Coordinates of all heavy atoms in Angstrom, one line a residue:
M27 N 45.0 135.6 138.9 CA 45.3 134.9 140.1 C 44.0 134.2 140.6 O 43.0 134.8 140.7 CB 45.9 135.8 141.2 CG 46.1 135.1 142.5 SD 47.4 134.1 142.7 CE 48.8 135.1 142.2
T28 N 44.2 132.9 140.9 CA 43.1 132.1 141.4 C 43.5 131.7 142.8 O 44.6 131.2 143.0 CB 42.7 130.9 140.5 OG1 42.4 131.3 139.2 CG2 41.6 130.1 141.0
V29 N 42.5 131.9 143.8 CA 42.7 131.4 145.1 C 41.7 130.3 145.4 O 40.5 130.6 145.2 CB 42.6 132.5 146.2 CG1 42.8 132.0 147.6 CG2 43.7 133.6 145.9
E30 N 42.2 129.1 145.8 CA 41.2 128.1 146.2 C 41.4 127.8 147.7 O 42.5 127.6 148.2 CB 41.6 126.8 145.4 CG 41.4 126.9 143.9 CD 41.9 125.7 143.1 OE1 42.6 124.9 143.7 OE2 41.6 125.6 141.9
V31 N 40.3 127.7 148.4 CA 40.3 127.4 149.8 C 39.5 126.2 150.0 O 38.3 126.1 149.6 CB 39.8 128.6 150.6 CG1 39.8 128.2 152.2 CG2 40.7 129.8 150.4
D32 N 40.0 125.2 150.7 CA 39.3 124.0 151.0 C 39.4 123.6 152.5 O 40.5 123.6 153.1 CB 39.9 122.8 150.2 CG 39.1 121.5 150.3 OD1 37.9 121.6 150.6 OD2 39.8 120.4 150.3
G33 N 38.3 123.4 153.1 CA 38.3 123.0 154.5 C 36.9 123.3 155.1 O 36.0 123.9 154.5
P34 N 36.8 122.9 156.3 CA 35.5 123.1 157.0 C 35.3 124.5 157.4 O 36.2 125.3 157.5 CB 35.6 122.2 158.3 CG 37.1 122.1 158.6 CD 37.8 122.1 157.2
E35 N 34.0 124.9 157.6 CA 33.7 126.3 158.0 C 34.4 126.6 159.2 O 34.9 127.7 159.5 CB 32.2 126.4 158.1 CG 31.7 127.8 158.4 CD 31.6 128.6 157.2 OE1 31.6 128.2 156.1 OE2 31.6 129.9 157.4
S36 N 34.5 125.7 160.2 CA 35.1 125.9 161.4 C 35.9 124.6 161.9 O 35.4 123.5 161.6 CB 34.0 126.1 162.5 OG 34.5 126.2 163.8
L37 N 37.1 124.9 162.4 CA 37.9 123.7 162.9 C 38.6 124.2 164.1 O 39.8 124.6 164.1 CB 38.9 123.3 161.8 CG 39.8 122.2 162.1 CD1 39.0 120.9 162.2 CD2 40.8 122.0 160.9
P38 N 38.0 124.0 165.3 CA 38.6 124.5 166.5 C 39.8 123.6 166.9 O 39.8 122.4 166.8 CB 37.5 124.2 167.6 CG 36.2 123.9 166.9 CD 36.6 123.5 165.5
F39 N 40.9 124.3 167.3 CA 42.1 123.6 167.8 C 42.8 124.7 168.7 O 42.6 125.9 168.5 CB 42.9 123.1 166.8 CG 43.5 124.0 165.8 CD1 44.8 124.5 165.9 CD2 42.8 124.4 164.7 CE1 45.4 125.4 165.0 CE2 43.3 125.3 163.8 CZ 44.6 125.9 164.0
M40 N 43.6 124.2 169.6 CA 44.3 125.1 170.5 C 45.7 125.6 169.8 O 46.5 124.7 169.4 CB 44.6 124.5 171.8 CG 43.4 124.3 172.6 SD 43.6 123.7 174.3 CE 44.6 125.0 174.9
A41 N 45.8 126.9 169.7 CA 47.1 127.4 169.1 C 47.1 128.9 169.4 O 46.1 129.5 169.6 CB 47.1 127.1 167.6
D42 N 48.2 129.5 169.2 CA 48.4 130.9 169.4 C 48.0 131.5 168.0 O 48.7 131.4 167.0 CB 49.8 131.3 169.7 CG 50.0 132.8 169.9 OD1 49.5 133.6 169.2 OD2 50.8 133.1 170.9
G43 N 46.9 132.2 168.0 CA 46.3 132.7 166.7 C 47.3 133.7 166.0 O 47.4 133.7 164.8
N44 N 48.0 134.5 166.8 CA 49.0 135.4 166.2 C 50.2 134.7 165.5 O 50.6 135.1 164.4 CB 49.5 136.4 167.2 CG 48.5 137.4 167.6 OD1 47.6 137.8 166.8 ND2 48.5 137.8 168.9
L45 N 50.6 133.6 166.1 CA 51.7 132.8 165.5 C 51.2 132.1 164.2 O 51.9 132.0 163.2 CB 52.3 131.8 166.5 CG 53.0 132.4 167.7 CD1 53.5 131.3 168.7 CD2 54.2 133.3 167.2
I46 N 50.0 131.5 164.3 CA 49.4 130.9 163.1 C 49.3 131.9 162.0 O 49.6 131.6 160.8 CB 48.1 130.2 163.4 CG1 48.2 129.1 164.5 CG2 47.3 129.7 162.2 CD1 49.0 127.9 163.9
K47 N 48.8 133.0 162.3 CA 48.7 134.1 161.3 C 50.0 134.5 160.6 O 50.2 134.6 159.5 CB 48.0 135.3 161.8 CG 46.5 135.3 162.0 CD 46.1 136.7 162.4 CE 45.1 136.6 163.6 NZ 44.6 137.8 164.1
Q48 N 51.0 134.6 161.5 CA 52.4 134.9 161.0 C 52.9 133.9 160.1 O 53.5 134.2 159.1 CB 53.3 135.2 162.2 CG 54.7 135.6 161.8 CD 55.6 136.0 162.9 OE1 55.3 135.8 164.1 NE2 56.8 136.3 162.6
V49 N 52.8 132.6 160.5 CA 53.3 131.5 159.6 C 52.5 131.5 158.3 O 53.1 131.5 157.2 CB 53.2 130.2 160.4 CG1 53.4 129.0 159.4 CG2 54.1 130.1 161.6
V50 N 51.2 131.5 158.4 CA 50.4 131.4 157.1 C 50.7 132.6 156.2 O 50.8 132.5 155.0 CB 48.9 131.3 157.4 CG1 48.1 131.4 156.1 CG2 48.6 129.9 158.1
L51 N 50.7 133.8 156.8 CA 51.0 135.0 156.0 C 52.3 134.9 155.3 O 52.5 135.2 154.1 CB 50.9 136.3 156.9 CG 51.1 137.6 156.1 CD1 50.1 137.8 155.0 CD2 51.1 138.8 157.1
N52 N 53.4 134.6 156.0 CA 54.7 134.4 155.4 C 54.7 133.4 154.2 O 55.3 133.6 153.2 CB 55.8 134.1 156.4 CG 56.3 135.2 157.2 OD1 56.4 136.3 156.7 ND2 56.5 135.1 158.5
V53 N 54.1 132.2 154.5 CA 54.1 131.2 153.5 C 53.2 131.7 152.3 O 53.7 131.4 151.1 CB 53.6 129.8 154.1 CG1 53.4 128.8 153.0 CG2 54.5 129.4 155.1
V54 N 52.1 132.2 152.5 CA 51.3 132.8 151.4 C 52.0 133.9 150.6 O 52.0 133.9 149.4 CB 49.9 133.2 151.9 CG1 49.1 134.1 150.9 CG2 49.0 132.0 152.4
M55 N 52.7 134.8 151.3 CA 53.4 135.8 150.6 C 54.5 135.2 149.7 O 54.7 135.6 148.6 CB 54.1 136.8 151.6 CG 53.0 137.6 152.3 SD 52.0 138.6 151.1 CE 53.2 139.6 150.4
N56 N 55.2 134.2 150.2 CA 56.2 133.5 149.4 C 55.5 132.8 148.2 O 56.1 132.9 147.0 CB 57.0 132.4 150.2 CG 58.2 133.0 150.9 OD1 59.2 133.2 150.3 ND2 58.0 133.5 152.1
A57 N 54.4 132.2 148.4 CA 53.7 131.6 147.3 C 53.3 132.6 146.2 O 53.5 132.4 145.0 CB 52.5 130.8 147.8
L58 N 52.8 133.8 146.6 CA 52.4 134.8 145.7 C 53.5 135.3 145.0 O 53.5 135.6 143.7 CB 51.6 135.9 146.4 CG 50.3 135.5 147.0 CD1 49.7 136.7 147.9 CD2 49.3 135.1 146.0
Q59 N 54.6 135.5 145.6 CA 55.9 136.0 144.9 C 56.4 135.0 144.0 O 57.1 135.4 143.0 CB 56.9 136.4 146.0 CG 56.5 137.6 146.8 CD 57.4 137.9 148.0 OE1 58.2 137.0 148.4 NE2 57.1 139.0 148.7
A60 N 56.1 133.8 144.1 CA 56.6 132.7 143.2 C 55.7 132.7 141.9 O 56.1 131.9 141.0 CB 56.6 131.4 143.9
M61 N 54.7 133.5 141.9 CA 53.8 133.5 140.7 C 53.6 134.9 140.2 O 52.5 135.4 140.1 CB 52.4 132.9 141.1 CG 52.5 131.5 141.7 SD 50.8 130.8 142.0 CE 50.3 131.9 143.4
P62 N 54.6 135.6 139.7 CA 54.5 137.0 139.3 C 53.6 137.1 138.1 O 53.0 138.2 137.9 CB 55.9 137.4 138.9 CG 56.7 136.1 138.7 CD 56.0 135.1 139.6
E63 N 53.4 136.1 137.3 CA 52.5 136.1 136.2 C 51.1 135.6 136.5 O 50.2 135.5 135.6 CB 53.1 135.3 135.1 CG 54.5 135.5 134.7 CD 54.7 136.9 134.0 OE1 53.9 137.3 133.2 OE2 55.7 137.6 134.3
G64 N 50.9 135.4 137.7 CA 49.5 134.8 138.1 C 49.6 133.3 138.3 O 50.7 132.6 138.0
G65 N 48.6 132.6 138.7 CA 48.6 131.2 138.9 C 47.5 130.9 139.8 O 46.6 131.6 140.0
T66 N 47.7 129.7 140.5 CA 46.7 129.3 141.5 C 47.4 129.1 142.9 O 48.3 128.4 143.0 CB 46.1 127.9 141.1 OG1 45.4 128.2 139.8 CG2 45.0 127.5 142.0
L67 N 46.7 129.7 143.8 CA 47.2 129.5 145.2 C 46.1 128.7 145.9 O 44.9 129.0 145.8 CB 47.2 130.9 145.9 CG 47.5 130.9 147.4 CD1 48.8 130.3 147.7 CD2 47.3 132.2 148.0
S68 N 46.5 127.6 146.5 CA 45.5 126.7 147.2 C 45.9 126.6 148.6 O 47.0 126.4 149.0 CB 45.6 125.3 146.6 OG 45.3 125.3 145.2
I69 N 44.9 126.8 149.4 CA 45.0 126.6 150.9 C 44.0 125.6 151.4 O 42.8 125.7 151.1 CB 44.8 128.0 151.6 CG1 45.7 129.1 151.1 CG2 44.9 127.9 153.1 CD1 45.4 130.5 151.5
A70 N 44.5 124.6 152.1 CA 43.6 123.5 152.6 C 43.8 123.4 154.1 O 45.0 123.4 154.5 CB 43.9 122.3 151.8
V71 N 42.7 123.1 154.8 CA 42.8 122.9 156.2 C 42.1 121.7 156.6 O 40.9 121.5 156.1 CB 42.3 124.1 157.0 CG1 42.3 123.9 158.5 CG2 42.9 125.4 156.6
E72 N 42.6 120.8 157.4 CA 41.8 119.6 157.8 C 42.4 119.1 159.2 O 43.5 119.5 159.5 CB 42.1 118.5 156.7 CG 43.4 117.9 156.6 CD 43.5 116.8 155.6 OE1 42.6 115.9 155.7 OE2 44.4 116.8 154.8
R73 N 41.5 118.3 159.8 CA 41.9 117.8 161.0 C 42.7 116.5 160.8 O 42.4 115.7 159.9 CB 40.7 117.4 161.9 CG 41.1 116.8 163.2 CD 40.1 116.9 164.3 NE 39.5 118.2 164.6 CZ 40.1 119.1 165.3 NH1 41.3 119.0 165.8 NH2 39.5 120.2 165.6
V74 N 43.8 116.4 161.5 CA 44.6 115.2 161.4 C 44.9 114.7 162.9 O 45.6 115.3 163.6 CB 46.0 115.5 160.8 CG1 46.9 114.2 160.7 CG2 45.8 116.0 159.3
G75 N 44.1 113.8 163.3 CA 44.1 113.3 164.7 C 43.6 114.4 165.5 O 42.5 115.0 165.3
A76 N 44.4 114.8 166.6 CA 44.0 115.9 167.5 C 44.5 117.2 167.0 O 44.2 118.2 167.6 CB 44.5 115.6 168.9
A77 N 45.2 117.3 165.8 CA 45.7 118.5 165.3 C 45.1 119.0 164.1 O 44.2 118.3 163.6 CB 47.3 118.2 165.0
A78 N 45.4 120.1 163.7 CA 44.9 120.7 162.4 C 46.1 120.9 161.5 O 47.2 121.2 161.9 CB 44.2 122.1 162.6
E79 N 45.9 120.6 160.2 CA 47.0 120.7 159.2 C 46.6 121.8 158.2 O 45.5 121.8 157.7 CB 47.2 119.4 158.5 CG 48.2 119.4 157.4 CD 48.5 118.0 156.8 OE1 49.2 117.2 157.4 OE2 48.0 117.8 155.7
I80 N 47.5 122.7 158.0 CA 47.3 123.8 157.0 C 48.3 123.5 155.9 O 49.5 123.5 156.1 CB 47.4 125.1 157.6 CG1 46.6 125.3 158.9 CG2 47.3 126.2 156.6 CD1 46.9 126.6 159.7
R81 N 47.7 123.4 154.7 CA 48.6 123.2 153.5 C 48.4 124.4 152.6 O 47.3 124.8 152.2 CB 48.3 121.9 152.7 CG 48.7 120.6 153.3 CD 48.5 119.4 152.5 NE 47.2 119.4 151.9 CZ 46.1 118.8 152.5 NH1 46.3 118.5 153.7 NH2 45.0 118.8 151.9
V82 N 49.6 124.9 152.1 CA 49.6 126.0 151.1 C 50.4 125.6 149.9 O 51.5 125.1 150.1 CB 50.2 127.3 151.7 CG1 50.3 128.4 150.7 CG2 49.5 127.8 152.9
E83 N 49.8 125.6 148.7 CA 50.4 125.1 147.5 C 50.2 126.2 146.4 O 49.2 127.0 146.4 CB 49.8 123.8 147.0 CG 49.9 122.7 148.0 CD 49.3 121.4 147.4 OE1 48.9 121.4 146.2 OE2 49.2 120.5 148.2
D84 N 51.2 126.3 145.5 CA 51.0 127.3 144.4 C 51.5 126.7 143.1 O 52.1 125.7 143.2 CB 51.8 128.6 144.8 CG 53.3 128.4 144.8 OD1 53.9 128.1 143.8 OD2 53.8 128.4 146.0
T85 N 51.2 127.3 142.0 CA 51.6 126.8 140.8 C 52.8 127.7 140.2 O 53.0 127.8 139.0 CB 50.5 126.9 139.7 OG1 50.0 128.2 139.6 CG2 49.4 125.9 140.1
G86 N 53.6 128.2 141.2 CA 54.7 129.1 140.8 C 55.9 128.3 140.2 O 55.8 127.1 139.9
C87 N 57.0 129.0 140.2 CA 58.2 128.4 139.5 C 58.9 127.3 140.3 O 59.7 126.6 139.7 CB 59.2 129.6 139.4 SG 59.7 130.4 140.9
G88 N 58.5 127.0 141.5 CA 59.1 125.9 142.3 C 60.5 126.3 142.9 O 60.9 127.4 142.7
I89 N 61.1 125.4 143.6 CA 62.3 125.6 144.3 C 63.3 124.6 143.8 O 63.0 123.4 143.7 CB 62.1 125.4 145.9 CG1 61.0 126.4 146.4 CG2 63.4 125.7 146.5 CD1 60.5 126.1 147.8
T90 N 64.5 125.0 143.5 CA 65.5 124.1 142.9 C 65.9 123.2 144.0 O 65.8 123.6 145.3 CB 66.8 124.9 142.4 OG1 67.4 125.5 143.5 CG2 66.4 125.9 141.4
P91 N 66.4 122.0 143.7 CA 66.8 121.1 144.8 C 67.8 121.7 145.7 O 67.8 121.4 146.9 CB 67.4 119.9 144.0 CG 66.6 119.9 142.7 CD 66.4 121.4 142.4
E92 N 68.8 122.4 145.2 CA 69.9 122.9 146.0 C 69.4 124.1 146.9 O 69.8 124.2 148.0 CB 71.1 123.4 145.2 CG 70.8 124.4 144.1 CD 70.4 123.7 142.7 OE1 70.3 122.5 142.7 OE2 70.2 124.5 141.8
D93 N 68.3 124.8 146.5 CA 67.8 125.9 147.3 C 66.9 125.2 148.4 O 66.7 125.8 149.5 CB 67.0 126.8 146.5 CG 67.9 127.8 145.7 OD1 69.1 127.8 146.0 OD2 67.4 128.5 144.8
R94 N 66.2 124.1 148.1 CA 65.2 123.5 148.9 C 65.9 123.2 150.3 O 65.3 123.2 151.3 CB 64.7 122.2 148.3 CG 63.5 121.7 149.0 CD 62.8 120.5 148.2 NE 62.3 121.1 147.0 CZ 62.5 120.4 145.8 NH1 63.0 119.2 145.7 NH2 62.0 120.9 144.7
E95 N 67.2 122.8 150.2 CA 67.9 122.4 151.5 C 68.2 123.6 152.3 O 68.5 123.5 153.4 CB 69.2 121.7 151.1 CG 69.0 120.4 150.4 CD 70.3 119.6 150.1 OE1 71.3 120.0 150.7 OE2 70.2 118.7 149.3
R96 N 68.0 124.8 151.7 CA 68.4 126.1 152.5 C 67.3 127.0 152.8 O 67.5 128.1 153.5 CB 69.5 126.8 151.7 CG 70.7 125.9 151.4 CD 71.9 126.7 150.7 NE 72.2 127.9 151.6 CZ 72.7 129.0 151.1 NH1 73.0 129.1 149.8 NH2 73.0 130.0 151.9
I97 N 66.1 126.7 152.3 CA 65.0 127.7 152.4 C 64.7 128.2 153.9 O 64.1 129.2 154.0 CB 63.7 127.3 151.7 CG1 63.2 126.0 152.3 CG2 63.9 127.1 150.2 CD1 61.8 125.6 151.8
F98 N 65.0 127.3 154.8 CA 64.7 127.7 156.2 C 65.9 128.3 157.0 O 65.8 128.7 158.1 CB 64.2 126.5 157.0 CG 62.9 125.9 156.5 CD1 62.8 124.7 156.0 CD2 61.7 126.7 156.4 CE1 61.7 124.2 155.4 CE2 60.5 126.2 155.9 CZ 60.5 124.9 155.5
D99 N 67.0 128.5 156.2 CA 68.2 129.1 156.8 C 68.0 130.6 156.9 O 67.5 131.2 156.0 CB 69.5 128.8 156.0 CG 69.9 127.4 155.9 OD1 69.4 126.6 156.6 OD2 70.8 127.1 155.1
P100 N 68.4 131.1 158.1 CA 68.2 132.6 158.3 C 69.0 133.3 157.2 O 70.2 132.9 156.9 CB 68.8 132.9 159.7 CG 68.7 131.6 160.4 CD 68.8 130.5 159.3
F101 N 68.4 134.4 156.6 CA 69.1 135.3 155.7 C 69.2 134.6 154.2 O 69.8 135.3 153.4 CB 70.4 135.9 156.1 CG 70.2 136.6 157.5 CD1 70.8 136.0 158.7 CD2 69.5 137.7 157.6 CE1 70.6 136.6 159.9 CE2 69.3 138.3 158.8 CZ 69.9 137.8 160.0
F102 N 68.8 133.4 154.0 CA 68.9 132.9 152.7 C 67.6 133.3 151.9 O 66.5 133.2 152.3 CB 68.8 131.3 152.7 CG 68.7 130.7 151.3 CD1 69.9 130.7 150.6 CD2 67.6 130.3 150.8 CE1 69.9 130.2 149.2 CE2 67.5 129.7 149.5 CZ 68.7 129.7 148.7
T103 N 68.0 133.9 150.7 CA 66.9 134.3 149.8 C 67.3 134.2 148.4 O 68.5 134.3 148.1 CB 66.4 135.8 150.1 OG1 65.3 136.1 149.3 CG2 67.6 136.7 149.9
T104 N 66.4 134.0 147.5 CA 66.7 134.0 146.0 C 66.0 135.3 145.4 O 66.1 135.4 144.2 CB 66.1 132.8 145.4 OG1 64.6 132.8 145.6 CG2 66.7 131.5 146.0
K105 N 65.5 136.2 146.3 CA 64.8 137.4 145.8 C 65.8 138.5 145.8 O 66.7 138.6 146.5 CB 63.6 137.7 146.7 CG 62.6 136.6 146.8 CD 61.5 136.9 147.8 CE 60.8 135.7 148.2 NZ 60.0 135.8 149.4
K106 N 65.5 139.5 144.8 CA 66.3 140.7 144.8 C 66.1 141.5 146.0 O 67.0 142.2 146.5 CB 65.9 141.5 143.5 CG 66.4 140.8 142.2 CD 66.1 141.6 141.1 CE 66.5 140.8 139.8 NZ 66.1 141.5 138.6
E107 N 64.9 141.5 146.5 CA 64.5 142.2 147.7 C 64.0 141.3 148.8 O 63.4 140.3 148.4 CB 63.5 143.3 147.4 CG 63.9 144.4 146.5 CD 62.9 145.5 146.3 OE1 62.0 145.5 147.0 OE2 63.0 146.2 145.3
G108 N 64.3 141.6 150.0 CA 63.9 140.7 151.1 C 65.0 140.4 152.0 O 66.2 140.5 151.7
T109 N 64.6 139.9 153.2 CA 65.7 139.7 154.2 C 66.0 138.2 154.4 O 67.1 137.9 154.9 CB 65.1 140.1 155.6 OG1 64.0 139.3 156.0 CG2 64.8 141.6 155.6
G110 N 65.2 137.3 153.8 CA 65.5 135.9 154.0 C 65.1 135.4 155.3 O 65.7 134.4 155.8
L111 N 64.2 136.1 156.0 CA 63.9 135.7 157.3 C 62.5 135.1 157.5 O 62.2 134.4 158.4 CB 64.0 136.9 158.3 CG 65.4 137.4 158.7 CD1 65.4 138.6 159.5 CD2 66.2 136.3 159.3
G112 N 61.7 135.3 156.5 CA 60.3 134.8 156.6 C 60.1 133.3 156.9 O 59.5 133.0 157.8
L113 N 60.7 132.5 156.0 CA 60.6 131.1 156.2 C 61.4 130.5 157.4 O 61.0 129.6 158.0 CB 60.9 130.3 154.9 CG 60.0 130.5 153.7 CD1 60.5 129.7 152.6 CD2 58.5 130.1 154.1
S114 N 62.5 131.2 157.7 CA 63.2 130.8 158.9 C 62.4 131.1 160.2 O 62.4 130.3 161.0 CB 64.6 131.7 158.9 OG 65.2 131.4 160.1
V115 N 61.7 132.2 160.2 CA 60.9 132.5 161.3 C 59.8 131.5 161.4 O 59.4 131.0 162.5 CB 60.3 133.9 161.2 CG1 59.2 134.2 162.2 CG2 61.5 135.0 161.5
C116 N 59.1 131.1 160.3 CA 58.1 130.2 160.2 C 58.6 128.8 160.8 O 57.9 128.1 161.6 CB 57.5 130.0 158.8 SG 56.6 131.4 158.2
Y117 N 59.7 128.4 160.3 CA 60.3 127.2 160.7 C 60.5 127.1 162.3 O 60.2 126.2 162.9 CB 61.6 126.9 160.0 CG 62.2 125.5 160.3 CD1 61.7 124.4 159.7 CD2 63.2 125.4 161.2 CE1 62.3 123.2 159.9 CE2 63.8 124.2 161.4 CZ 63.3 123.0 160.8 OH 63.9 121.8 161.1
G118 N 61.0 128.2 162.8 CA 61.3 128.3 164.2 C 59.9 128.2 165.0 O 59.9 127.5 166.0
I119 N 58.9 128.9 164.6 CA 57.6 128.8 165.2 C 57.1 127.4 165.2 O 56.7 126.9 166.3 CB 56.6 129.8 164.6 CG1 57.0 131.3 164.8 CG2 55.2 129.5 165.1 CD1 56.3 132.3 164.0
V120 N 57.1 126.8 164.1 CA 56.6 125.4 164.0 C 57.4 124.5 164.8 O 56.8 123.6 165.6 CB 56.5 124.9 162.5 CG1 56.1 123.5 162.4 CG2 55.5 125.9 161.8
Q121 N 58.7 124.6 164.8 CA 59.5 123.6 165.5 C 59.4 123.8 167.0 O 59.4 122.9 167.9 CB 60.9 123.8 165.2 CG 61.3 123.2 163.8 CD 60.9 121.8 163.6 OE1 61.3 120.9 164.4 NE2 60.0 121.6 162.6
R122 N 59.3 125.1 167.5 CA 59.1 125.4 168.9 C 57.8 124.9 169.4 O 57.6 124.4 170.5 CB 59.3 126.9 169.1 CG 59.3 127.3 170.5 CD 59.7 128.7 170.7 NE 58.8 129.7 170.1 CZ 59.2 130.4 169.1 NH1 60.4 130.4 168.6 NH2 58.3 131.3 168.5
R123 N 56.7 125.0 168.6 CA 55.4 124.7 169.1 C 55.0 123.2 168.8 O 54.1 122.7 169.4 CB 54.3 125.6 168.3 CG 54.5 127.0 168.6 CD 54.2 127.2 170.1 NE 54.5 128.6 170.5 CZ 54.5 129.2 171.6 NH1 54.3 128.4 172.7 NH2 54.8 130.4 171.8
L124 N 55.7 122.6 167.9 CA 55.3 121.2 167.5 C 56.5 120.3 167.5 O 56.9 119.8 166.5 CB 54.6 121.1 166.2 CG 53.3 122.0 166.0 CD1 52.9 122.0 164.5 CD2 52.2 121.5 166.8
P125 N 57.1 120.1 168.7 CA 58.3 119.2 168.7 C 58.0 117.9 168.2 O 56.9 117.3 168.3 CB 58.7 119.1 170.2 CG 57.5 119.6 170.9 CD 56.7 120.5 170.0
G126 N 58.9 117.3 167.4 CA 58.8 116.0 166.8 C 58.1 116.1 165.4 O 58.1 115.0 164.7
R127 N 57.6 117.2 165.0 CA 56.9 117.4 163.7 C 57.9 118.0 162.8 O 58.4 119.0 163.0 CB 55.7 118.2 163.8 CG 54.5 117.7 164.7 CD 53.7 116.7 163.9 NE 53.1 117.4 162.8 CZ 52.1 117.0 162.2 NH1 51.4 116.0 162.6 NH2 51.6 117.6 161.1
H128 N 58.1 117.4 161.7 CA 59.0 117.9 160.6 C 58.3 117.7 159.3 O 57.9 116.6 158.9 CB 60.3 117.3 160.6 CG 61.0 117.2 161.9 ND1 61.7 118.2 162.4 CD2 61.1 116.2 162.8 CE1 62.2 118.0 163.7 NE2 61.8 116.7 163.9
G129 N 58.2 118.8 158.5 CA 57.6 118.6 157.3 C 57.0 119.8 156.7 O 56.7 120.7 156.5

């Protein structure tokens, strides 16, 4: 497993640190689970206007087009174990905190 991190040493912005940690942890855990044989996990942080953008990418198996439409639905999962709530919770946090931002 290779982990690549790209971004400034410090990037101050206003946010609830616990919510940011929860979102990043859930997304990173999904990325790691998508690479059971290993791969590369990339995390990039940059300033975009007055905001900060955090990108998480992996070299895992990917998401099928039909699943992509459902990944944020509560209780949807493609895993043998899991609740299907991780990405749904992340989506709710982002939508609640960043109205008008979708992506």
